Amino acid sequence: MKEKIYKSKFEAYPFLSDPSKSLECDFEILTDEIASHIGLLRSIVKDPDLKSELLAICELTYHINPSLRTFVSVTEDELLFLEEATKRLNNEIKDRCDRFVLPIGCESAGHAHLLRTKSKGLVRMLYRYSEGGNEVPDILFDFCNLLSDYFFNLALKLNYLNKVDEIEFKSRNYK
């Protein structure tokens, strides 16, 4: 095993050489990626209310970024904001989907589906971090799970706004 790991004087982020078992840096990189994808999605969404909502969610995603290294700074009110936005979208699209669907459609829905899956990866990382004996506040689990649900509902809403029908997925493994 190598005793000393080289640390570049040009290192793009000060924690990139953290030990792999710590996961703090991995969480920060993934939340940065999610926030960047939210920014990209926001750039192609036309609805001004959704653009505003995506800006707020992007900021909240950056607020959770240092949560494993420092402390959780998102509040119960901000969690409630995300929950209410998710419920609103779900109510708006509830008649469109009551089955598994393929993650396809218009460009903006495709980005929302990518955010949905990245958010699930974030939840999975939190569980791995917790299993390593680290404390993860419930609000962080709730927030990251809601992110995934929000982006699923948003994908369906964006397909609806762009007049794209969902395509049902019929699994060969699950009936």
Side-chain angles (χ1 to χ4, degrees), residues 114-144:
L114 287 171
L115 283 159
R116 171 185 57 82
T117 62
K118 292 285 183 191
S119 298
K120 286 195 295 188
L122 203 55
V123 173
R124 182 68 183 138
M125 188 177 292
L126 287 174
Y127 280 114
R128 286 182 27 227
Y129 186 74
S130 180
E131 287 171 359
N134 300 291
E135 182 70 29
V136 178
D138 294 347
I139 191 172
L140 197 54
F141 279 113
D142 291 345
F143 187 87
C144 294

Side-chain angles (χ1 to χ4, degrees), residues 38-56:
I38 294 169
L40 180 60
L41 174 58
R42 185 178 180 273
S43 75
I44 60 175
V45 166
K46 297 186 181 4
D47 181 280
D49 292 332
L50 287 177
K51 282 179 95 73
S52 177
E53 189 168 87
L54 286 168
L55 176 61

